[in-house]
Amino acid sequence: MKRSAMDRIIDTIEAIAAVFVGLVAADIFISVMLRRFFSTQIPDSYDFGRMLLGILIFWGIAATSYRGTHITVDLVWAQANRRWKRVIDVFATLVLLFVVTVQTYTLFDKVRATYADHVLTFDLRLPTWPFFAIAWIGDISAVVLIAIRTFRLVFHPEAIHDVRSAVE
């Protein structure tokens, strides 16, 4: 079965999010092992861990926003008929799109500020703005995926495969 360009974009964003999960886990594991068995640490381990976790959060938002696998409260949705469920889904996705778009705008301001202020890590004196930029790209990816989800909810609802649809 040939996958559409949208599906390839979704898969790529989800794969990038998975890579960051692995990087955060590796950073934590290696840091703990070095401290426990060798009484040493990776320079800037704390800064790297904190920034990688931030990156992971924004890429995770991207990955969960399209699939509809994030935590939801569906008391009204569960009682609605098929037509109203779709209306609720479209409305909720549009609200999410607005909120994440505003978040993306404000995160860009953080990237710009860390670049302009020459914020550096403590030990190695590396610039922090590239980490913020990667997180910002994850946020842009979330906007793209939410826009794709909105488009599909409106024009191709059969293309949405989320947990709630599978239960119906």
Side-chain angles (χ1 to χ4, degrees), residues 30-70:
I30 292 168
S31 294
V32 168
M33 289 300 168
L34 285 174
R35 270 185 270 140
R36 174 73 172 103
F37 296 111
F38 302 103
S39 297
T40 190
Q41 67 180 13
I42 300 169
D44 284 328
S45 160
Y46 176 75
D47 286 334
F48 290 143
R50 157 178 83 81
M51 290 184 288
L52 284 172
L53 190 56
I55 291 169
L56 173 62
I57 288 168
F58 288 107
W59 282 90
I61 290 170
T64 60
S65 293
Y66 177 77
R67 297 286 178 207
T69 55
H70 51 286

Side-chain angles (χ1 to χ4, degrees), residues 53-65 94-112 132-144 146:
L53 190 56
I55 291 169
L56 173 62
I57 288 168
F58 288 107
W59 282 90
I61 290 170
T64 60
S65 293
L94 285 171
V95 169
L96 181 63
L97 180 61
F98 173 75
V99 168
V100 175
T101 301
V102 171
Q103 173 183 292
T104 302
Y105 172 76
T106 59
L107 185 58
F108 175 74
D109 189 50
K110 182 70 172 175
V111 174
R112 188 193 52 71
F132 287 95
I134 294 169
W136 177 65
I137 293 168
D139 224 12
I140 290 171
S141 299
V143 170
V144 169
I146 296 166

Side-chain angles (χ1 to χ4, degrees), residues 74-93:
D74 296 332
L75 299 173
V76 174
W77 185 88
Q79 301 304 316
N81 64 31
R82 189 184 247 4
R83 180 177 173 274
W84 280 105
K85 284 181 181 180
R86 187 166 173 215
V87 169
I88 292 168
D89 284 344
V90 170
F91 175 75
T93 305

